[in-house]
Amino acid sequence: TANDINTKTLTVKAINNGAGVANIDIDADGDITIDVASGKDILIGGAAVNANIKLGNSTNTTTEIELNSTLVDINAGTDGVTMNSTGQVNIESSQDSVNAIVLNASAGGIDITSTGAAGDDIDIIATGSSVNIQSTEADNDAIKIHASKGTLALDGERRIEFNYLNNPSIKINSEGPLCLEIKEILSN
C-alpha cells in the first residue's frame, strides 16, 4: 500500500545470473483474481520483445477459455489472425439487425473455400428472408457462377427473373454437354 501523490509501482522480477533462466510459477487450489480500478488496464505482454502469450496447454485438460465482456477487440499486425480447430467453429450473433454479422475486407478480397469430399458443401441459407448477391464492378464477370463438373441448377419456385435494363446479355458457353429448357418466352 502506498500513500503518495505520485504513481508507485510494485515490481516482481525473477533473475538468474547463471546460464539458466528464472521462472515465476503461481499455483492455487482455488481461483486467481486480478482486479484494477475503474478505467485502468490489465497489461500482459507489454514489453517490446519477441514473446508469445499462451493460454491453456497442449493437452485436453484445459476445458474452456472464456472471454466475457461488452466488447472483445482483437487487433493484429501484418501476420494476421489464425483460428485452428479440430472441432466445429461457430460464429453466432443474437443481435436483431440487418447486419448482425459483418465480414469486411477494406482492401482485398474474401475467399470462402471447402476442400471436403462430395456432400461437404458450402450452404448459404436465409430462412424467412432473401439472399442478395450484388456487384458494382464494371466487368463481364462481375458476378460469376461456375460449376466445373456436374450441373448448374437455377430453380425458382415461382420464377427466375432477368432484368433487361442497361441491355444485359445472358452468355451460355456450349462446351461440353448442353441442355437448355425454356418453358416460357423470355422477353423485355
Side-chain angles (χ1 to χ4, degrees):
T1 301
N3 187 9
D4 196 287
I5 62 174
N6 298 314
T7 300
K8 301 298 181 181
T9 302
L10 173 63
T11 301
V12 179
K13 182 182 294 186
I15 300 176
N16 187 345
N17 293 322
V21 298
N23 298 323
I24 296 178
D25 190 359
I26 301 176
D27 292 323
D29 58 3
D31 296 333
I32 297 177
T33 302
I34 302 175
D35 291 323
V36 294
S38 177
K40 303 300 180 180
D41 298 324
I42 298 176
L43 304 177
I44 301 176
V49 296
N50 183 14
N52 297 326
I53 298 175
K54 298 182 179 181
L55 302 176
N57 54 50
S58 59
T59 66
N60 294 327
T61 58
T62 300
T63 304
E64 182 178 6
I65 296 175
E66 184 175 331
L67 301 177
N68 294 315
S69 178
T70 57
L71 173 65
V72 176
D73 190 359
I74 300 175
N75 295 314
T78 55
D79 288 340
V81 177
T82 300
M83 298 174 59
N84 292 321
S85 174
T86 57
Q88 191 176 57
V89 176
N90 297 311
I91 300 176
E92 297 183 5
S93 174
S94 60
Q95 183 187 37
D96 186 5
S97 172
V98 296
N99 56 351
I101 296 178
V102 177
L103 299 177
N104 178 42
S106 60
I110 297 177
D111 292 335
I112 300 176
T113 61
S114 174
T115 57
D120 295 335
D121 304 329
I122 297 176
D123 298 327
I124 302 176
I125 301 174
T127 303
S129 57
S130 302
V131 175
N132 301 313
I133 301 175
Q134 184 178 13
S135 173
T136 60
E137 183 184 19
D139 186 81
N140 291 333
D141 292 331
I143 296 178
K144 181 178 180 179
I145 302 176
H146 175 65
S148 60
K149 297 179 180 179
T151 301
L152 173 63
L154 299 177
D155 183 11
E157 182 179 346
R158 295 184 179 178
R159 63 183 180 182
I160 299 175
E161 183 176 298
F162 298 93
N163 194 330
Y164 66 90
L165 299 177
N166 298 323
N167 297 319
S169 62
I170 301 174
K171 181 179 178 181
I172 299 176
N173 192 332
S174 59
E175 295 180 0
L178 175 62
C179 178
L180 181 62
E181 180 179 355
I182 302 177
K183 295 184 178 181
E184 296 185 9
I185 297 176
L186 296 177
S187 66
N188 59 6

